[in-house]
Amino acid sequence: MDTFDFTGDRLNKFLEDGYLVIEGFYSPETCDRLRQECSRLIDDMNPADHRTVFSTQDHEQMKEDYFLTSGDKIRYFWEAEATDDNGELNRPKHKALNKIGHALHFLNPEFEKATFTPELEAILRKLQFKKPAIPQSMYIFKQPRIGGTVTKHIDATFLESTPSKLTGFWVALEDATLENGCLHFAPGSHRDAEVTYRMVRNPDKNAKQTLLFEGEFHALGDEKFVPVPVKKGSMIIIDGKVQHMSAKNVSDKSRHIYTFHVTETHESEWSQRNWLQPHTPFPLVYERTAR
Ligand code: FE2
């Protein structure tokens, strides 16, 4: 990557705004390779093995279990509009997925190679990470016409640690535009922000609902948000506490992206109430990059 630089003004801009675009973080070839690898995974996948919409009373529970046990697997999540009342896909499988999660970054060699890079390590060192790890990754499709809205949120709602130190990395594998659902940010909303809203495991093990939301999210008004369209290959670095969202894809073009989150593990405690619990330790960035 020729244009890599995360010092001085750029670092300050990230600290000020809570997000930063780095153009050309992935080459067009890397973007295409990841898209092809993802397409190959879908070729080999049988939708019947990953159908989490069932016409039974317990389907919500089954959906939750499929999600909750996906931390160390490559799993497939469908767009709500892509299934009919019986849970059957109403379009080809390649056009029906919302996302793949949550362990592409350590189970798939192509994604692993594109994740644990010297450039990532350099950014994390500038952000004072001592022992960063990657708890999750996602490939998000934002399919033409049906790719759903992601409402205003902060990422720390979903991945809590004490103290909280979470940074998201989001790479456009094709152009993200105003029409196909680019990200929108509320610049500066991370500063002095508290995590007041959390998605947690239900302490009542017998309850039907295994996940709960606790607290309240104080979403800023629409006028505080700015759209951030980016070119293919651009990386957006995202503070865990900055408010962001994306609109529904109303265009005929998809908006494929690859994203992962980095958390500090040095003198830090991962919340046992997080949906995502490590079966084996989360992969450490500096160790993997040095291999
Ligand atoms: Fe997010």
Side-chain angles (χ1 to χ4, degrees), residues 138 150 153-155 158 170 183 238 242 244-245 261:
M138 293 183 278
V150 176
H153 68 280
I154 62 171
D155 292 342
F158 305 96
W170 186 104
L183 291 179
I238 304 171
V242 74
H244 58 286
M245 50 87 57
H261 286 86

Side-chain angles (χ1 to χ4, degrees), residues 33-253:
R33 202 166 54 244
L34 294 180
R35 290 194 59 182
Q36 282 159 15
E37 180 63 5
C38 180
S39 182
R40 193 189 63 74
L41 287 171
I42 302 168
D43 285 342
D44 293 345
M45 176 267 294
N46 178 2
D49 297 338
H50 302 276
R51 217 173 62 157
T52 54
V53 182
F54 294 87
S55 53
T56 71
Q57 284 180 331
D58 292 329
H59 83 267
E60 279 303 325
Q61 176 81 54
M62 293 168 81
K63 259 168 95 166
E64 280 196 341
D65 286 348
Y66 184 80
F67 170 74
L68 282 167
T69 55
S70 68
D72 58 352
K73 298 182 184 69
I74 294 174
R75 287 205 162 157
Y76 300 83
F77 300 87
W78 307 101
E79 271 298 343
E81 281 187 40
T83 52
D84 64 20
D85 292 343
N86 299 318
E88 299 292 339
L89 295 184
N90 57 19
R91 63 198 72 213
K93 61 182 177 177
H94 281 270
K95 298 280 177 207
L97 284 163
N98 168 288
K99 68 176 176 186
I100 298 179
H102 289 91
L104 281 168
H105 64 298
F106 63 90
L107 293 181
N108 181 280
E110 286 293 348
F111 281 89
E112 182 181 23
K113 201 162 60 180
T115 307
F116 297 91
T117 60
E119 290 83 9
L120 176 69
E121 174 168 348
I123 291 169
L124 294 175
R125 289 198 185 278
K126 285 280 183 306
L127 293 177
Q128 316 289 335
F129 274 94
K130 291 198 167 68
K131 204 178 162 193
I134 303 187
Q136 69 165 20
S137 57
M138 293 183 278
Y139 189 106
I140 300 176
F141 297 86
K142 206 74 147 174
Q143 303 281 3
R145 299 283 163 200
I146 61 164
T149 302
V150 176
T151 57
K152 294 167 188 171
H153 68 280
I154 62 171
D155 292 342
T157 284
F158 305 96
L159 303 167
E160 195 193 2
S161 65
T162 310
S164 176
K165 189 165 168 68
L166 179 73
T167 307
F169 292 85
W170 186 104
V171 196
L173 302 181
E174 51 191 343
D175 293 352
T177 67
L178 294 176
E179 293 75 31
N180 72 2
C182 67
L183 291 179
H184 295 234
F185 288 89
S189 55
H190 64 302
R191 278 183 267 147
D192 303 319
E194 300 281 333
V195 185
T196 57
Y197 188 59
R198 297 185 174 87
M199 186 175 84
V200 296
R201 287 176 180 251
N202 192 340
D204 179 357
K205 298 270 184 280
N206 298 318
K208 264 206 151 177
Q209 208 179 353
T210 37
L211 286 171
L212 298 175
F213 281 91
E214 272 185 5
E216 238 178 280
F217 180 59
H218 308 292
L220 294 169
D222 292 352
E223 73 285 356
K224 301 281 191 206
F225 285 77
V226 295
V228 182
V230 293
K231 291 272 172 228
K232 173 177 175 175
S234 297
M235 159 84 88
I236 307 184
I237 310 174
I238 304 171
D239 186 285
K241 289 183 190 162
V242 74
Q243 293 196 21
H244 58 286
M245 50 87 57
S246 66
K248 182 170 178 166
N249 183 359
V250 293
S251 77
D252 292 323
K253 295 199 172 97

